[in-house]
Amino acid sequence: MAPKKKTNKKPIEIKQTLRNERKTNFNICKVITIGGAVVIAMLFYKFYSSFLATPDLPEFDLNVWWGRNTSERHDTSIRPYRILFSDSMQENLRRKMEAYRRATRVKSLEDSSKYGINYDVLGQIFAHWQFKYKYGSRVKYLNQYNHYITNVQGLDIHFMRIKPKNTENLKVVPLLLIHGWPSSVRDFYGIIPLLTSAKQEYNFVFEVIAPSLPGFAFSQAPARPGLTTYQMAIVLRNLMARIGHKQFYVHGGDIGHAIGSHMATLFPNQVLGFHSSTPVNPSKLAHLTLMLGEICPKCVANDLVDKIYPYTDKLQFYLEESGYLHLQSTKPDTVGIALQDSPLGLASYIIEKYLLFTDPANKYTHDGGLGAFNVTDLMDNVLVYWSTGSITTSLRLYKESILNYEMEETLSRIPTSVPTWGLRTKYDLIQQPDFILRWKYPNLVRTTNLDVGGHFAAFEKPIEVSSDIFEAVKVFSSMKK
Ligand SMILES: *[C@@H]1O[C@H](CO)[C@@H](O)[C@H](O)[C@H]1NC(C)=O
Ligand SMILES: *[C@@H]1O[C@H](CO)[C@@H](O)[C@H](O)[C@H]1NC(C)=O
């Protein structure tokens, strides 16, 4: 019995250990499965909450005070304003230009425009500024429209207000034009007469309001951090209320698109329709989708395939051309010191963006594409920045956008009910298909694809852009909200 028992016992022991082992294995499996499920659930939740979920609209203080602290009563008057190119500014420029002319300058490498502004282009800009640019007649040109200043949230905000001349049998509708960087209200000089003149096919015409963004050109800069794009949206909404427009249409491009988009999100009952010449949804999900679309470009981009893919080429381009973004998002005040001290440095920095973003192929041409521009027009914009000493404060907007990135992302994921219309130019930097735009703008009425033009659409193609705005507003106003 005993040996039998022994032989019997052993297998039982083995079975027991096996069972125990199985039990522990089972427990480990269970733990791993449950743990895995939890991790996957957490990842899904993380993905969901950071990519898909629609956040609630945060509450905003509509009266943040951006000016210096004073005990003075808030002045709400609207004062006429005139642009000035002072004698001392002109004298100072002459001295700096003379110093530049005498200095030894670094020549560009042969056959290359890719290293930044090209020596010959700079030479042309210098010569134009020195010998062809007439301060007197240009300041007169810039003052052809009515300029005003009014204090909003502690800041003196500049704007142009242009009413249509002949309005017989026409409805006059207010249109807010929002510029970007390195633009100014100067971008709109060509489009304004087109928007404020009656067109035969339309029974309305525009009254245009074009403000300088806070910290840009003739508008005062904030005294403390935080005036990022959605805060600018609040300032512009308050500006429109001051002027007397409770409801209005909005057109924007570049940063003007971001601000207009925030206005449509925060004030859907005031923005009657939003027309954008840079129609983009900046959310993380949009970027991720376009990136994944590399696997099957046609599935994502349809007729925009050639403009979006290969995405790796796009990324390469962004990397090569976005150094300024990084610089301005990190040390705006440092680069600003150099730009505010050198007129030709400032001109190079600004004009390079106009040339490149109008057509990326310009960087491969010897004149950087300058030949296609009216240099006087480009110089006006440089002078607007120079004469107001506002380059540094304009650059700070990039820093604010990064510091307030969470809120920008949150707002980019809150859909707006405002009817929206996108105008894509041929060469604009970021292009997105309609279905991605609809996540942010479910009421996307139409997108127009132009076979001309670049990033500075209103400046470069005023006829095409104004026609598109007229058509958009006609459709917007026929829709019941
Ligand atoms: C100015 O006012 C703001 C807001 O009321 C406050 O946070 C800040 O400390 C004040 N600054 C000074 C220098 O008084
Ligand atoms: C450039 O544009 C200005 C108006 O801004 C105009 O006065 C000037 O004649 C134009 N120059 C050329 C060469 O077309």
Side-chain angles (χ1 to χ4, degrees):
M1 283 300 276
K4 237 187 183 179
K5 244 187 183 177
K6 250 184 192 170
T7 45
N8 261 355
K9 220 180 184 181
K10 249 195 181 157
I12 287 172
E13 263 174 16
I14 291 170
K15 261 188 201 161
Q16 204 97 32
T17 20
L18 272 180
R19 202 177 293 150
N20 281 346
E21 228 166 66
R22 246 184 243 143
K23 218 174 184 179
T24 33
N25 272 352
F26 177 72
N27 281 344
I28 289 172
C29 279
K30 212 163 151 189
V31 167
I32 290 178
T33 312
I34 293 174
V38 169
V39 170
I40 289 172
M42 277 164 64
L43 286 177
F44 263 109
Y45 178 73
K46 181 86 185 124
F47 179 77
Y48 173 78
S49 60
S50 55
F51 285 94
L52 301 176
T54 302
D56 291 330
L57 187 63
E59 295 241 347
F60 292 102
D61 178 356
L62 300 186
N63 298 299
V64 178
W65 190 260
W66 295 109
R68 309 234 162 250
N69 295 349
T70 63
S71 50
E72 279 170 43
R73 271 289 307 148
H74 192 160
D75 174 5
T76 58
S77 65
I78 294 178
R79 294 156 277 157
Y81 179 80
R82 281 190 81 71
I83 295 171
L84 185 72
F85 288 165
S86 71
D87 290 347
S88 66
M89 180 197 86
Q90 293 180 39
E91 181 50 35
N92 182 30
L93 278 172
R94 264 188 289 277
R95 266 188 279 119
K96 282 183 179 285
M97 293 292 187
E98 183 55 20
Y100 173 83
R101 195 182 63 76
R102 288 163 180 270
T104 317
R105 297 189 290 277
V106 178
K107 285 210 187 240
S108 297
L109 296 169
E110 283 173 18
D111 295 329
S112 182
S113 310
K114 283 180 275 181
Y115 286 67
I117 201 95
N118 168 298
Y119 181 80
D120 297 313
V121 179
L122 189 55
Q124 283 185 52
I125 293 172
F126 171 70
H128 193 97
W129 197 338
Q130 185 80 314
F131 304 114
K132 296 207 181 125
Y133 194 81
K134 302 279 176 259
Y135 295 106
S137 64
R138 293 323 293 166
V139 84
K140 213 174 193 175
Y141 176 89
L142 292 172
N143 278 315
Q144 70 182 287
Y145 301 127
N146 290 327
H147 296 260
Y148 304 91
I149 293 260
T150 190
N151 196 285
V152 179
Q153 296 171 255
L155 299 179
D156 278 346
I157 301 297
H158 159 263
F159 65 97
M160 305 193 293
R161 182 182 192 182
I162 303 95
K163 294 183 183 176
K165 284 194 185 81
N166 197 341
T167 61
E168 223 175 299
N169 301 326
L170 292 176
K171 192 170 175 236
V172 178
V173 292
L175 173 69
L176 174 69
L177 301 181
I178 314 177
H179 69 79
W181 186 94
S183 301
S184 64
V185 291
R186 177 61 181 81
D187 273 17
F188 299 130
Y189 271 61
I191 204 173
I192 284 170
L194 302 172
L195 293 168
T196 53
S197 302
K199 267 184 185 294
Q200 207 150 43
E201 319 86 279
Y202 302 95
N203 61 359
F204 61 89
V205 66
F206 295 105
E207 170 190 331
V208 168
I209 290 97
S212 296
L213 298 178
F216 285 66
F218 317 101
S219 284
Q220 206 180 352
R224 60 188 66 84
L227 186 40
T228 186
T229 49
Y230 69 88
Q231 294 287 3
M232 289 199 175
I234 295 173
V235 171
L236 295 191
R237 175 261 190 193
N238 290 341
L239 171 70
M240 290 304 270
R242 172 74 49 77
I243 294 170
H245 293 312
K246 290 243 145 48
Q247 293 193 306
F248 46 88
Y249 294 94
V250 175
H251 161 83
D254 190 75
I255 292 174
H257 159 80
I259 296 170
S261 178
H262 291 326
M263 292 183 86
T265 308
L266 303 184
F267 311 112
N269 297 324
Q270 291 171 52
V271 178
L272 296 168
F274 175 41
H275 181 276
S276 169
S277 62
T278 320
V280 289
N281 173 348
S283 70
K284 285 188 281 187
L285 184 64
H287 289 298
L288 184 70
T289 309
L290 287 180
M291 232 184 283
L292 291 177
E294 185 85 335
I295 302 165
C296 174
K298 266 224 144 62
C299 315
V300 173
N302 263 322
D303 50 332
L304 293 176
V305 166
D306 294 341
K307 291 184 171 172
I308 302 175
Y309 295 101
Y311 207 63
T312 38
D313 287 5
K314 280 274 156 191
L315 289 179
Q316 169 94 24
F317 175 80
Y318 295 148
L319 206 59
E320 205 169 306
E321 298 305 336
S322 64
Y324 81 100
L325 269 179
H326 197 169
L327 192 55
Q328 293 169 199
S329 309
T330 50
K331 308 285 175 193
D333 285 31
T334 310
V335 62
I337 292 166
L339 296 178
Q340 197 51 59
D341 196 46
S342 162
L344 285 160
L346 181 71
S348 307
Y349 201 74
I350 290 178
I351 292 176
E352 185 207 88
K353 295 287 163 281
Y354 272 83
L355 300 182
L356 187 83
F357 292 169
T358 293
D359 182 353
N362 277 339
K363 74 171 160 181
Y364 303 108
T365 64
H366 190 66
D367 77 341
L370 192 69
F373 284 89
N374 176 327
V375 184
T376 299
D377 289 343
L378 292 174
M379 288 304 314
D380 280 348
N381 184 50
V382 173
L383 259 297
V384 162
Y385 276 89
W386 179 267
S387 67
T388 53
S390 63
I391 190 67
T392 304
T393 49
S394 78
L395 301 181
R396 284 182 189 155
L397 181 52
Y398 288 80
K399 179 83 180 179
E400 297 299 352
S401 296
I402 291 298
L403 292 175
N404 296 280
Y405 172 74
E406 291 286 329
M407 182 61 87
E408 304 270 352
E409 168 68 15
T410 299
L411 289 175
S412 76
R413 277 168 39 202
I414 301 177
T416 171
S417 58
V418 169
T420 300
W421 183 296
L423 172 68
R424 295 188 192 94
T425 51
K426 183 172 185 185
Y427 296 115
D428 208 357
L429 308 168
I430 301 177
Q431 312 244 359
Q432 292 179 341
D434 287 5
F435 82 93
I436 288 182
L437 297 176
R438 282 212 171 84
W439 295 336
K440 170 67 196 171
Y441 312 103
N443 215 349
L444 184 71
V445 178
R446 200 179 298 174
T447 47
T448 307
N449 292 309
L450 281 188
D451 57 4
V452 291
H455 188 62
F456 303 95
F459 173 72
E460 190 201 355
K461 298 286 172 204
I463 296 172
E464 289 81 352
V465 176
S466 63
S467 302
D468 202 54
I469 294 177
F470 263 102
E471 192 57 27
V473 168
K474 181 179 150 190
V475 176
F476 290 157
S477 58
S478 71
M479 296 165 63
K480 284 269 173 289
K481 237 193 135 184

